[in-house]
Each structure stands twice: as structure tokens, then as C-alpha cells.
């Protein structure tokens, strides 16, 4: 078997990344290598954990070098509506995943998509997921202003074993080793936090099931998808929605999303 110059260049680059596993510029070096093969416009490396806010290990710098306010909103609570986060929590998996594989049926109609995703990620997203012990997932997410082509996805699928292996080997070298190597102390359930905030903001007492229905609605799930996920009937979903809207004094998902944002920032 004869190696091409491209093969040699790839293996040489992977060798350099192995040498850089304990270096501060590891993530930058990795995404620069990937960008040579597939173009993308944004990236972030983060850790999803059960009952914990995502921990960011590295992210692409903003145009002026300042923190991205939209991404800060994501870390405060919008991540609960992220299709990739939801997919990780519902079924932990290792591999390469496209937005189209995890996004709910009505994702592009949601306020989350209109007010966050299309502004921060723009058009498409793919994510390398590395499942870890303790119900955690190490992720490298790539965002693009254009849809990733089938050819690009095929190429990323071909190299994913190298990328996932590098992600696993990098984890022990992250600065916060307590979080990286062992499960962090659990925070309060997000439902409890959100319910307390909603009660303070609107004086409303929502049930756990109403909160579940509301979050799934905001993430883009249709009534059928919500019914399937919660193992209830579509009619029951509609009843929960009606009660929730009545308690909050609202008439639209746009208003519900605004309350959700206020609650996360409260």
C-alpha cells in the first residue's frame, strides 16, 4: 500500500497533536487541522454533565476578542434548549452527529433558533461527542454559515476515530481537573431552579410536568414528539400547555421564551 502526500501530512499533524496534548494551544491546533479539510466558522470544546451547566474548555475568539454575550446566555440556561445537549441527556452516544440528526421537528420555528442559533451558529452545526464515565459527554462542536455537504460529513466521519481519541487523551490535561476527572457535586434540579424563578417573576406555580412540556416546546418538539418523550397522550400535552399559558398569563411561545430567559438570568 502506497501512502500519498496527503496521508503523510495528516499522520504527521496527528503526531504533532499528540505531542501538544498537554499544551495550552491544543484546541487551537486541533481546529486548525480540521479546518484544512472542512471549512467552518465557529467552534467550541465543552463538557456536558447531568445536572450541571456546561463547562467550556476552549472556544473560537470573538471578532473583538471580548466574550460573546449570546454564548453567555447559552451557558446561563439556553443550553437546556440545545438539540445536542438534549440528545446527550436522552441517549448518551459517542460519534459524529449533525444538527439534522438531533434537532426536533419544529426547531427552525423556535425562538431559540431565531434569537440565538441563527445569530450565533448561523446555518449548521456538527458535533464530535465522546461519552465519558459519570454521565458526561466531551464535545467538540463546529458551526458553519452554510450547510455541511455530504462530502464534508463523509470526510469528518472518516477521521472521527482520530479526533475522538485525541479528545479522550486531552481530558486529563484540562485546567479544572476536579471537574474533568470526577463528577462535580450535583446542582439543584433545573426544574426546581426554573420553577423558583418563574414563581418570583410571575407568581405562578408550575408543575414538573408543565415545565417539561414547556422546555420541550421551546426546543422545537411538536406535540407528538413531546407525547412520545414524556410517554403521555397528545391531548394531555395540550392540557399541560393550556394550564401553563393560563398560569403565566401568556398566549404565545415567544412570551414563554422571554420568561424562560428572564428566569435563567434571575
Amino acid at each position: 500500500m502506497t501512502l500519498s502526500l496527503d496521508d503523510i501530512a495528516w499522520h504527521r499533524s496527528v503526531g504533532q497533536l499528540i505531542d501538544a496534548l498537554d499544551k495550552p494551544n491544543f484546541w487551537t491546533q486541533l481546529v486548525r487541522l480540521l479546518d484544512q479539510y472542512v471549512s467552518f466558522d465557529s467552534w467550541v470544546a465543552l463538557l456536558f454533565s447531568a445536572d450541571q451547566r456546561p463547562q467550556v474548555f476552549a472556544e473560537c475568539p470573538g471578532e473583538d476578542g471580548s466574550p460573546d454575550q449570546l454564548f453567555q446566555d447559552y451557558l446561563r440556561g439556553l443550553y437546556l434548549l440545545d438539540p445536542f445537549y438534549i440528545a446527550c441527556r436522552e441517549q448518551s452516544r459517542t460519534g459524529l452527529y449533525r444538527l439534522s440528526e438531533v434537532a426536533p421537528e419544529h426547531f427552525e420555528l423556535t425562538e431559540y433558533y431565531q434569537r440565538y442559533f441563527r445569530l450565533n451558529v448561523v446555518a449548521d452545526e456538527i458535533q464530535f461527542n465522546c461519552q465519558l464515565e459519570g454521565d458526561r459527554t466531551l464535545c467538540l462542536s463546529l458551526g458553519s454559515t452554510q450547510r455541511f455537504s455530504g462530502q464534508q460529513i463523509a470526510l469528518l466521519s472518516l477521521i472521527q476515530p482520530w479526533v475522538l481519541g485525541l479528545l479522550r487523551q486531552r481530558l486529563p490535561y484540562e485546567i479544572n481537573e476536579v471537574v474533568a476527572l470526577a463528577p462535580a457535586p450535583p446542582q439543584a434540579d433545573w426544574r426546581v431552579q426554573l420553577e423558583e424563578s418563574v414563581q418570583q417573576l410571575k407568581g405562578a406555580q408550575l408543575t414538573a410536568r408543565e415545565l417539561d412540556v414547556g422546555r420541550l416546546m421551546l426546543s422545537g418538539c411538536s406535540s407528538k414528539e413531546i407525547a412520545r418523550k414524556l410517554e403521555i397522550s397528545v391531548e394531555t400535552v395540550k392540557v399541560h400547555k393550556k394550564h401553563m399559558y393560563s398560569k403565566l398569563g401568556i398566549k404565545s411561545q415567544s412570551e414563554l421564551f422571554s420568561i424562560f430567559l428572564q428566569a435563567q438570568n434571575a
Side-chain angles (χ1 to χ4, degrees), residues 2-241:
T2 303
L3 290 175
S4 69
L5 291 178
D6 287 341
D7 292 330
I8 295 172
W10 167 258
H11 289 293
R12 179 174 180 273
S13 296
V14 170
Q16 291 173 336
L17 278 168
I18 293 173
D19 286 339
L21 279 169
D22 60 344
K23 303 296 191 300
N25 69 337
F26 168 80
W27 294 108
T28 301
Q29 196 169 329
L30 174 58
V31 296
R32 283 176 178 171
L33 173 61
L34 295 177
D35 193 45
Q36 294 178 22
Y37 295 87
V38 174
S39 295
F40 49 90
D41 301 285
S42 61
W43 62 273
V44 61
L46 70 172
L47 185 71
F48 286 153
S49 304
D51 301 324
Q52 294 289 321
R53 298 186 184 221
Q55 183 183 6
V56 178
F57 291 152
E59 62 180 304
C60 59
E63 293 183 359
D64 59 357
S66 62
D68 185 335
Q69 184 56 48
L70 282 175
F71 190 58
Q72 297 308 306
D73 289 339
Y74 173 89
L75 295 176
R76 277 193 290 266
L78 283 182
Y79 69 90
L80 292 169
L81 307 180
D82 179 2
F84 288 100
Y85 174 82
I86 295 173
C88 284
R89 299 277 55 83
E90 292 181 346
Q91 184 179 359
S92 301
R93 299 175 294 178
T94 292
L96 177 68
Y97 297 96
R98 297 189 67 175
L99 177 66
S100 59
E101 294 176 320
V102 299
E105 183 179 353
H106 297 156
F107 177 64
E108 293 188 1
L109 301 178
T110 63
E111 291 293 313
Y112 172 81
Y113 178 86
Q114 296 295 330
R115 292 163 63 172
Y116 172 76
F117 188 90
R118 74 180 183 87
L119 299 178
N120 202 54
V121 182
V122 182
D124 204 359
E125 184 176 5
I126 55 177
Q127 192 162 282
F128 291 96
N129 283 354
C130 186
Q131 184 60 30
L132 307 167
E133 294 180 357
D135 197 20
R136 300 166 301 154
T137 307
L138 178 57
C139 312
L140 176 61
S141 179
L142 309 179
S144 174
T145 57
Q146 299 181 3
R147 299 286 183 187
F148 289 104
S149 68
Q151 183 178 3
Q152 290 175 315
I153 297 300
L155 179 55
L156 289 172
S157 297
L158 184 65
I159 64 176
Q160 71 162 309
W162 282 279
V163 177
L164 294 175
L166 287 165
L167 295 189
R168 286 187 183 277
Q169 295 301 315
R170 170 63 184 184
L171 191 59
Y173 296 104
E174 287 302 329
I175 297 175
N176 192 345
E177 293 188 1
V178 173
V179 174
L181 297 177
Q187 293 180 343
D189 186 277
W190 69 267
R191 296 180 190 84
V192 175
Q193 294 176 318
L194 187 56
E195 167 60 17
E196 291 176 350
S197 297
V198 168
Q199 190 168 5
Q200 291 176 359
L201 291 169
K202 305 294 287 188
Q205 186 78 34
L206 300 182
T207 66
R209 186 46 57 91
E210 287 167 351
L211 288 168
D212 284 332
V213 169
R215 180 178 61 86
L216 290 171
M217 283 172 49
L218 291 176
S219 70
C221 291
S222 65
S223 293
K224 287 185 177 180
E225 287 178 307
I226 296 174
R228 176 179 56 79
K229 288 175 181 288
L230 299 182
E231 299 182 339
I232 57 179
S233 70
V234 173
E235 289 304 314
T236 301
V237 171
K238 293 178 180 178
V239 170
H240 285 310
K241 175 182 175 182

